[in-house]
Amino acid sequence: MSYAISMDDIRSAAAQIKGAAVRTPLLEHPALNDAVGGRVFIKPENLQRIGAFKFRGAYNRLSRLTDAEKARGVVAFSSGNHAQGVAKAAEMLGIKATIVMPEDAPKLKLANTRSYGAEVVLYDRYNEDREEVAKRVVGDSGATVVPPYNDPYIMAGQGTVGLEIAEDLKNLGLTPDQTLVNCGGGGLASGTFLALHDAFPTMTGYAVEPEEFDDVTRSLKSGVIEKVDFGARSVCDALLTPSAGDLTFPILKDIGIQGVTVSDEEAMAAVRFAAISLKLVTEPGGAAALAALLAGKVEVEGKVTVIVLSGGNIEPEMLASCVGNAQ
Amino acid sequence: MSYAISMDDIRSAAAQIKGAAVRTPLLEHPALNDAVGGRVFIKPENLQRIGAFKFRGAYNRLSRLTDAEKARGVVAFSSGNHAQGVAKAAEMLGIKATIVMPEDAPKLKLANTRSYGAEVVLYDRYNEDREEVAKRVVGDSGATVVPPYNDPYIMAGQGTVGLEIAEDLKNLGLTPDQTLVNCGGGGLASGTFLALHDAFPTMTGYAVEPEEFDDVTRSLKSGVIEKVDFGARSVCDALLTPSAGDLTFPILKDIGIQGVTVSDEEAMAAVRFAAISLKLVTEPGGAAALAALLAGKVEVEGKVTVIVLSGGNIEPEMLASCVGNAQ
């Protein structure tokens, strides 16, 4: 089978982002093991530069541009973490970045994106056509549009998460039974599962989505790319994508990944558990895989399970609200 | 020079707690490096079992008891993290634990201590004599009192923090210029600095205290053990000890450790920075060393600095309050 990316692309991305991205550890916490009754390893990408895995793909993508392309700048569309990843990578590489963000994006993500030196253009995601906004922003600048997930360099960059998990588990002499990865458009999931499947062919993989954004779950059942229902909403702002990409989906499908969904309440409870019991700050979309475990949606007893905490860029007010609420 | 503990004791403690304690990683975060303008490594003991380093010493101490001693149980006095460490170690080792805690101890710490199966006895720390309470609780039970810091097994257990930092830095090929360790009675500081001084003899060490609990800072200047002023208060509940111990202080003094103090406001700002920018939940006393860096109390430019985040057992309400406040 031939996909948009190979293991060589992921290994090349690992070399490319070395020194720029944080080599996050693989954590095991007794409080989580006790809570779910199984052995769980956590890949904390909330500890990544910009607070989410997105920096990996963005840096891999931007650092491959030619000097001429770099001089013309980059444009990205994102509600938050991809925005920050592209903005920060651009800043480090000396590239002008324009980021188009929905006007209801989390304030922290807007502020962070601007703090990395990017120009932020706002649009109304419910009433404005994104393609129109895109055309207007790119104009005749010749800027390169950096897609959030459906791009080989982006996918390979996110795949380094899987490469690192595999490396650390092998050093511990362990073979994981299953891994749960949060899933929006499938950039992280496709890259990570490709790398993990290569290292551990018998491992089961789960793509975790918000309940109303269960397009990948449905797609994996039907075998074709399904779309999110019109009007879907979720507190997991990092996972609000209309559908998987035509480059990401075939990987998830062929490896035999299964879909799991979590409610907003389950995601918020996971944010609280992560903060109070694991001492890790996550955002709702970053805690979806943890939520699936805590809600008992996947059997963990007697198994070695891995989850990716994909991001921690939660609004301070929402974090305060999550931890302030009684259990 | 002969101290209460040697490097062999710390190495022995490392072997003793292996598998029971979490082998925490050494983290580096670009957001912290950028904020302070130097290279900083973080030892996140908030990710330790029970959310603080205290489990290390407690497990090392309790696991050395004879079967007869174990059968008679243990008693500890603590406002929180030592309580949880002893309670959890006792639970794991099948020992009955009675923990005497001030009635104004953080509710989370009280609840956690009870959740580990310990019997909690409350007292009024401002009006009751602790020695009297101790006598009453221990009675003629023959229970072993587990001191919070002035004990060789406790100190050696906490010293494994330093052993692990040294191991990880050597793997990175780095020699630290300085390390900052939060300091109450000096159990963590003495063990950690002993191990780090052994590995890196030229390293500078700082013991970080709350402003009104600056007894170690003053002791290190005068050369003798000084006491905290009557009526001292601090939000750093983990660091409220009247003085260093006669076993811990000589180590700090001979190695040439210096004292640094932080205000409550600086500690709370560090809790906020850790949560929002580093995605790590800390308690005020656990973030004192971070506060010292952020407040510019130690020069970090061009240096390799290490800080220990010693604990993360903050009240959910206080965490909400810290992160909810504008920067």
Side-chain angles (χ1 to χ4, degrees), chain B residues 89-113:
Chain B
E91 182 185 56
M92 292 169 74
L93 294 161
I95 301 172
K96 175 177 161 41
T98 306
I99 315 286
V100 183
M101 301 181 75
E103 52 193 20
D104 64 342
K107 277 178 297 196
L108 181 78
K109 293 179 176 179
L110 286 167
N112 286 353
T113 304

Side-chain angles (χ1 to χ4, degrees), chain A residues 150-168:
Chain A
N150 209 41
D151 173 280
Y153 286 117
I154 298 285
M155 292 161 65
Q158 323 304 30
T160 58
V161 169
L163 209 58
E164 292 174 6
I165 293 170
E167 196 174 278
D168 288 354

Side-chain angles (χ1 to χ4, degrees), chain A residues 117-173:
Chain A
E119 183 185 343
V120 173
V121 175
L122 299 176
Y123 82 106
D124 175 350
R125 67 167 129 187
Y126 304 111
N127 297 304
E128 267 188 283
D129 184 74
R130 213 178 80 165
E131 296 303 312
E132 288 298 318
V133 180
K135 271 188 206 151
R136 194 176 75 223
V137 170
V138 177
D140 53 7
S141 67
T144 300
V145 175
V146 186
Y149 51 87
N150 209 41
D151 173 280
Y153 286 117
I154 298 285
M155 292 161 65
Q158 323 304 30
T160 58
V161 169
L163 209 58
E164 292 174 6
I165 293 170
E167 196 174 278
D168 288 354
L169 285 175
K170 289 198 165 173
N171 283 340
L172 293 167

Side-chain angles (χ1 to χ4, degrees), chain B residues 113-134:
Chain B
T113 304
R114 289 190 179 108
S115 80
Y116 301 141
E119 184 185 341
V120 172
V121 175
L122 299 176
Y123 82 105
D124 175 350
R125 68 167 128 188
Y126 304 111
N127 297 305
E128 269 187 283
D129 184 74
R130 213 177 81 164
E131 296 303 313
E132 287 299 318
V133 181

Side-chain angles (χ1 to χ4, degrees), chain B residues 26-72:
Chain B
L26 193 65
L27 305 174
E28 185 177 11
H29 202 302
L32 179 54
N33 289 353
D34 290 349
V36 302
R39 191 166 188 193
V40 183
F41 289 89
I42 301 164
K43 180 68 170 173
E45 282 295 298
N46 54 335
L47 305 181
Q48 183 55 259
R49 189 188 285 270
I50 71 116
F53 72 94
K54 288 280 189 181
F55 177 78
R56 297 174 182 261
Y59 191 89
N60 188 44
R61 169 69 274 193
L62 266 60
S63 63
R64 311 283 185 161
L65 295 175
T66 64
D67 287 348
E69 287 171 327
K70 283 178 183 167
R72 290 194 293 270

